[in-house]
Amino acid sequence: MGRNRSGRDRDDSSATATTGAAGRSRSQGPLVSPVGSGTAELRPDRDRPNAWQLLIDGAPQSLVDLADPTHLGFEYQRRLGHLIDLAAPPGRPITVLHLGGGALTLARYTAATRPRSRQQVAEIDTALTELVRTELPLDRTWQIRVRGADARAVLERTPEASVDLVIADVFSGARVPAHCATVEFATLAARALVPEGRFAANITDGSSLAFARAQVATLLAVFPEVCLVADPAVLRGKRFGNLILAASHQPLPIAELGRRVATDSYLGRLEHGRALADFTAGAAPATDSTAAPSPAPPPKAFH
């Protein structure tokens, strides 16, 4: 939800190789279409002639520039982009599991910046995937496979130690579903990762940040290394917004990530170590028996 989307089970293997067409023309104007998760709108971006915003029920989800897939226009996507950049030496192919697909912005970014990367996307809304593939087509050379399935179900079937990076951007409507925000879910992600692999998640919260604090505690129950990146106003509970979590069994690239966050066009703060423990403030990890979805955003939170 932008300043995001979940992952019935359908294997949409035809999404691996898509048309090489130029995609939707700006002259065609906005497109509004019903999808499984609500009403999708593709709206031309005001600042970039080949870019389109995806909105679901009026809430911005992602931005795709058909001429430049390396452009990440939303705050949360840029921060996840930093983690993609730091997942391996520049340009080296990686294996990525995206839980939640939306307009496939991060999969496009990975394919463009790390050619020959192997990527699987779990996106439960098959109608949305079909809309995106038709109007905002992928390059046919990219190795991106989209599965029409629940995110956790795909994670459960992912082979052990097979993925370099798991990115969870899982939303049901405007909320992170409870079953994708638990110790059990994080344990599945850890199992899927190679020993030096990393897990990253986009969540939303505001006010007391009870959900975000519990999510940090949840990851710390599984991974020894965890950090958080967010707008300072969000961390102070002054506004509702996105928070990016990263976790690993190996040391995270805190110094380089911090440098990138500090020099971004978006105001951001990185919490790690003692500061992150203070942020968690004794919150209990969420389990399958205790978890609740993330709070609903207040009206017009992302407008």
Side-chain angles (χ1 to χ4, degrees), residues 57-290:
D57 291 337
Q61 301 288 314
S62 50
L63 176 71
V64 170
D65 189 331
L66 293 172
D68 181 11
T70 68
H71 175 72
L72 298 175
F74 284 9
E75 171 189 293
Y76 85 93
Q77 291 178 330
R78 186 67 196 130
R79 289 169 180 158
L80 289 170
H82 293 328
L83 293 168
I84 295 168
D85 292 342
L86 296 173
R92 178 182 295 179
I94 58 175
T95 301
V96 188
L97 174 60
H98 300 266
L99 303 176
L104 307 174
T105 304
L106 292 170
R108 298 169 197 266
Y109 179 84
T110 303
T113 59
R114 297 185 174 278
R116 303 182 307 284
S117 291
R118 293 185 296 113
Q119 302 186 77
Q120 181 173 203
V121 181
E123 173 54 65
I124 200 169
D125 191 338
T126 55
L128 176 61
T129 297
E130 195 60 36
L131 175 70
V132 168
R133 288 177 55 216
T134 300
E135 302 296 339
L136 308 176
L138 301 172
D139 186 307
R140 69 172 70 247
T141 66
W142 292 342
Q143 298 180 57
I144 300 172
R145 183 187 190 192
V146 183
R147 293 178 64 95
D150 175 77
R152 180 156 167 174
V154 171
L155 189 57
E156 288 171 346
R157 296 195 295 271
T158 301
E160 184 174 356
S162 63
V163 179
D164 296 307
L165 180 63
V166 174
I167 300 177
D169 188 12
V170 188
F171 283 78
S172 178
R175 308 174 74 178
V176 179
H179 74 295
C180 293
T182 68
V183 169
E184 293 85 350
F185 178 84
T187 300
L188 289 169
R191 175 183 173 276
L193 290 169
V194 298
E196 66 278 15
R198 294 170 189 160
F199 173 77
N202 173 40
I203 64 172
T204 54
D205 202 0
S207 189
S208 68
L209 298 172
F211 181 79
R213 297 180 200 278
Q215 286 305 290
V216 173
T218 298
L219 291 183
L220 285 170
V222 177
F223 295 96
E225 288 288 319
V226 177
C227 72
L228 176 155
V229 180
D231 186 309
V234 173
L235 290 174
R236 292 194 300 269
K238 298 298 184 182
R239 74 169 180 86
F240 193 93
N242 298 79
L243 303 95
I244 300 302
L245 304 176
S248 179
H249 284 290
Q250 303 296 327
L252 292 164
I254 297 300
E256 179 59 21
L257 179 59
R259 186 192 68 78
R260 291 173 182 241
V261 169
T263 57
D264 242 342
S265 57
Y266 302 106
L267 191 63
R269 193 168 85 210
L270 186 151
E271 301 285 15
H272 176 255
R274 182 72 253 175
L276 188 62
D278 291 343
F279 171 83
T280 306
T287 66
D288 281 350
S289 61
T290 64

